[in-house]
């Protein structure tokens, strides 16, 4: 009977690791689980970390839980009533070993991942204007609200929150192969901007301004999810995100400009009057034509 | 039986009719054992309420917007029985709140802390029996507030158990009741923790040095310290949020935010301040919810391995360092909250480090098993289950402590998987093991082993079926009533249905436990003083122990884990036995 329990515990790492590998390498029936295919270089780095730490974890899981199952198998069925357990209270050498080795692994992990974090969250892209390096100006201002997304493309002037902004709701169209910076603010409660394919997530906190950046490499239609509870309609706070070629993007944004409405102009003026953002002056563009909207260095 | 040594000042003989005796014994109880049982029973009742809420959450995720069984037509007659999205938000909010604040914390610290600390350190009762009574009484206003909140128009608080402002500030009145309930629970825990600390420091029996205390007592001791330091911060934060809601202050509200087309606040506050204050309590609370279980598991594993706990001192030091580090890791809940990104790096390092003492504990438990003469009783199975599940919960913790990885999995079902492996698959398995282990002491009767083993087997299988696949939903946001409106998540429906079926199975399995618990209480075979041949002090007295606990003052002569000692004939060596 004791062997049954041993097998039960041995099954934990076997099934656990097998299903994790199935999810990781997209084997049916878990092919759609785990994470979708990464769309960016930064996402690939995160994936490597994600999979790497999981493989390490699988190794440790196998080691520890197999030992537990084996201990149950070997020591759980002693028939001899006179047999006594071994009287061992401690083993200092063993304690030091299983403290120092994991410590080294953890410290390595801690330092190893810092670069990826910095790339994703700390090293905001810069541009050089007249020999002075400044932060790259955001291409789109994202305003999160209950329960939808507003996107304000920097208009001809290349600055968000000015009168020539192009406004689109619940649809974000962006060119591929370019480093894109988004500026994000909330109108009411906390929201969170999540694009699984880009391995990108950032909470949008009222009263604060956030910046995210990414560089997608493939034309694809994906979705933006809200991942911070924002009220009863939280579940339906989604927007479409379409990555298109530069040419398609230029054509699309031109269409949007013509749809610019006077009511909206008012709304922008109100937000712009807050004057909290854009302390850095980005490069200006002389012409209003869409082809010059880009921020290529 | 030397009656003289039993100071019966705590519960003098009450005369009178049944009602007045019941009231004096069970309502105005100052005996730590009665208070422990009060906590145990109220927590178990709430455990079932919380479980129902969880099943309703699972129902919606498996068959979204379909008719909810039983309650659907009661609550949502006009929509034909399908729940509203706001109701879904209430479900997971109240599930978490109840499970954390009404079940796991009170059952570990309240029930087992109260019942076991005086018995294990050889004291006749807690240091402050009336404060102890107050600490249970303060649970009742909390119960009342939460129960009342279910009858509010929104059916309960629905801003998540984390209650992040500004959303929580603009919720209905149920949120105020929620905040009040949390304040009361906090006061209750605070009174308990002061009592535990004083009892453990001041009332140990002669010879019971700190390093002869069982791990259970160590777990409770460290937990009490954490509660005493962390709770004031939470209480302050709760009152600040209450004042934002009722007195129109703006601790957590910035300027210019508009809710429902109206301008909302006086402004000037910081949204992230709440998150810092909340997690400064609630991360230590994670350890408050597991350290006592770790202590109890250590005792039970050592007892049924008939072998000393491997590395007793490293075990004590590792709990202590988990508690110490536990106070400086709260920022890992906030990696992507908008908090300074550089700060995330220091929180990441401290979080990585906390894996170290947790690992040491696991290795020592395995060391205890190794070479033992294992008795695979029901409590032992639950505790071995605890260790193997804690490994999974701990390892997924390392995955998410890496901030770049956390960018992806934050606020997704991966986190839900992790926290359930730690809180359900570890803490609750530990609690169930402890119930099976100390039930003979509490009620003087044994629980049924066969039913216990069936209960363990089914719980273990179903919990893994419910929670392991959640790791694979690492792109599915949590707290979303209908994830399938996203194209990328549509394929995850079958997996969610599988998990829901397992969850229902797990819920039904607990009925076996209920039957075993109440059946054994009345019809179980009588347990002697020491049915498990264990060493610690509580097994030297009668089952259940009388008021004042011990017939004679116990004198402690050795540590709690001297199983299979070469100097003795038998395989155990009680702490009080003269050599």
């Amino acid at each position: 009977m004791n062997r049954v329990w041993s097998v039960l515990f041995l099954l934990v790492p076997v099934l656990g690791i097998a299903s994790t590998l199935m999810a990781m390498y997209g084997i049916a029936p878990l092919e759609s689980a785990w994470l979708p295919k990464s769309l960016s270089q930064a996402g690939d780095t995160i994936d490597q970390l994600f999979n790497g730490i999981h493989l390490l974890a699988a190794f440790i899981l196998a080691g520890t839980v197999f030992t537990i199952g084996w201990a149950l198998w070997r020591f759980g069925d002693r028939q001899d009533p006179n047999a006594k357990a071994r009287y061992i209270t401690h083993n200092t050498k063993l304690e030091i070993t299983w403290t120092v080795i994991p410590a080294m692994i953890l410290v390595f992990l801690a330092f190893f991942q810092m670069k990826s974090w910095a790339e994703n969250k700390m090293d905001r892209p810069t541009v050089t204007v007249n020999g002075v390096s400044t932060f790259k100006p955001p291409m789109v201002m994202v305003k999160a609200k209950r329960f939808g997304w507003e996107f304000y493309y920097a208009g001809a002037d290349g600055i968000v929150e000015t009168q020539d902004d192009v406004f689109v709701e619940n649809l974000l169209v962006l060119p591929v192969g370019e480093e894109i910076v988004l500026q994000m603010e909330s109108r009411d409660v906390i929201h969170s901007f999540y694009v699984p394919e880009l391995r990108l997530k950032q909470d949008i906190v009222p009263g604060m301004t956030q910046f995210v950046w990414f560089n997608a490499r493939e034309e694809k239609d994906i979705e933006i999810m809200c991942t911070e509870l924002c009220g009863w309609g939280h579940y339906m706070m989604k927007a479409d995100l379409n990555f298109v070629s530069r040419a398609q993007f230029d054509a699309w944004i031109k269409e949007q400009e013509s749809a610019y409405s006077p009511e909206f102009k008012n709304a922008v003026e109100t937000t712009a009057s807050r004057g909290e953002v854009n302390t850095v002056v980005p490069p200006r563009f002389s012409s209003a034509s869409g082809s010059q909207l880009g921020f290529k260095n | 039986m030397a009656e003289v040594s039993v100071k019966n000042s705590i519960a003098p003989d009450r005369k009178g009719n049944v009602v007045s005796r019941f009231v004096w014994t069970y309502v105005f109880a100052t005996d730590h054992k009665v208070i422990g049982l009060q906590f145990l029973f109220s927590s178990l009742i709430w455990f079932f309420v919380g479980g129902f809420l969880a099943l309703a959450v699972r129902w919606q995720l498996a068959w979204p917007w379909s008719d909810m069984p039983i309650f659907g037509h009661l609550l949502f007659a006009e929509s034909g029985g399908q729940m509203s999205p706001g109701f879904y938000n209430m479900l997971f909010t109240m599930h978490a709140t109840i499970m954390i604040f009404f079940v796991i914390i009170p059952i570990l610290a309240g029930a087992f802390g109260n019942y076991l600390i005086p018995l294990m350190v050889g004291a006749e009762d807690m240091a402050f029996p009336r404060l102890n009574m107050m600490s249970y009484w303060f649970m009742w206003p909390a119960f009342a507030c939460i129960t009342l909140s279910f009858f509010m128009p929104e059916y309960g608080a629905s801003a998540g158990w984390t209650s992040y402002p500004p959303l929580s500030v603009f919720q209905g009145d149920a949120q105020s009741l929620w905040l009040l309930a949390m304040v009361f629970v906090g006061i209750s825990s605070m009174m308990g923790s002061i009592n535990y600390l004083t009892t453990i420091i001041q009332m140990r029996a002669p010879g019971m040095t700190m390093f002869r205390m069982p791990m259970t007592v160590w777990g409770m001791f460290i937990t009490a310290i954490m509660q005493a330091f962390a709770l004031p911060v939470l209480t302050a934060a709760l009152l600040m949020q209450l004042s934002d809601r009722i007195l129109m202050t703006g601790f957590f509200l910035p300027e210019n935010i508009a809710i429902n087309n109206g301008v909302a606040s006086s402004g000037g506050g910081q949204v992230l301040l709440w998150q810092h204050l909340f997690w400064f309590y609630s991360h230590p609370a994670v350890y408050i919810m597991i350290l006592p279980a770790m202590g109890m598991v250590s005792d039970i594993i050592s007892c049924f391995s008939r072998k000393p706990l491997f590395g007793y001192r490293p075990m004590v030091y590792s709990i202590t360092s988990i508690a110490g580090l536990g106070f400086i890791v709260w920022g890992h809940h906030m990696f992507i909250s908008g908090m300074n990104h550089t700060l995330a790096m220091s929180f990441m390092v401290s979080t990585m480090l906390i894996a170290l003492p947790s690992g040491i504990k696991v290795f020592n438990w395995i060391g205890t098993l190794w070479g033992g003469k294992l008795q695979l009783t029901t409590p032992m199975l639950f505790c071995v289950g605890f260790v193997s599940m804690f490994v999974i919960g701990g390892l997924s913790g390392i995955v998410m402590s890496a901030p770049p990885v956390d960018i992806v999995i934050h606020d997704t079902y991966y986190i839900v998987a992790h926290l359930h492996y730690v809180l359900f698959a570890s803490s609750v398995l530990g609690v169930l093991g402890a119930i099976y282990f100390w039930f003979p002491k509490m009620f003087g009767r044994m629980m049924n082993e066969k039913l216990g083993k069936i209960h363990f087997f089914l719980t273990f299988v179903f919990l893994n079926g419910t929670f392991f696949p959640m790791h694979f939903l690492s792109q599915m946001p949590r707290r979303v009533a209908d994830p399938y409106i996203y194209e990328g998540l549509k394929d995850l429906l079958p997996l969610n249905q599988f998990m829901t079926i397992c969850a229902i199975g797990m819920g039904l399995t607990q009925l076996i436990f209920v039957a075993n618990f109440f059946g054994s209480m009345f019809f179980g075979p009588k347990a002697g003083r020491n049915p498990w041949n264990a060493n610690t002090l509580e097994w030297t007295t009668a089952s259940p122990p009388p008021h004042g606990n011990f017939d004679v003052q116990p004198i402690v002569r050795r540590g709690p884990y001297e199983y299979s000692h070469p100097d003795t004939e038998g395989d155990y060596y009680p702490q009080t036995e003269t050599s």
Side-chain angles (χ1 to χ4, degrees), chain A residues 49 53 56 104-113, chain B residues 352 398:
Chain A
L49 259 174
I53 301 178
L56 179 73
M104 278 159 38
I105 297 175
L106 289 170
V107 168
F108 169 76
L109 264 183
F111 285 94
F112 183 72
Q113 65 196 334
Chain B
M352 286 265 166
I398 296 178

Side-chain angles (χ1 to χ4, degrees), chain B residues 354-377:
Chain B
I354 215 164
L356 207 54
S358 315
I360 291 171
K361 293 199 79 72
V362 171
F363 296 140
N364 278 303
W365 283 318
I366 297 175
T368 309
L369 288 173
W370 197 260
K373 194 185 173 194
L374 307 186
Q375 299 173 347
L376 296 184
T377 57

Side-chain angles (χ1 to χ4, degrees), chain B residues 445-457:
Chain B
R445 287 170 190 276
M446 305 296 290
M447 284 181 88
N448 185 301
E449 272 290 302
K450 191 163 265 178
L451 286 179
K453 281 180 175 160
I454 296 171
H455 175 216
F456 168 74
F457 179 81

Side-chain angles (χ1 to χ4, degrees), chain A residues 42-43 46 115-123 199 213, chain B residues 404 407:
Chain A
I46 290 178
K115 190 160 169 274
S116 164
W117 176 254
E119 279 167 3
N120 278 288
K121 293 288 181 188
M122 289 160 74
D123 301 339
R199 311 292 188 258
W213 49 93
Chain B
I407 297 173

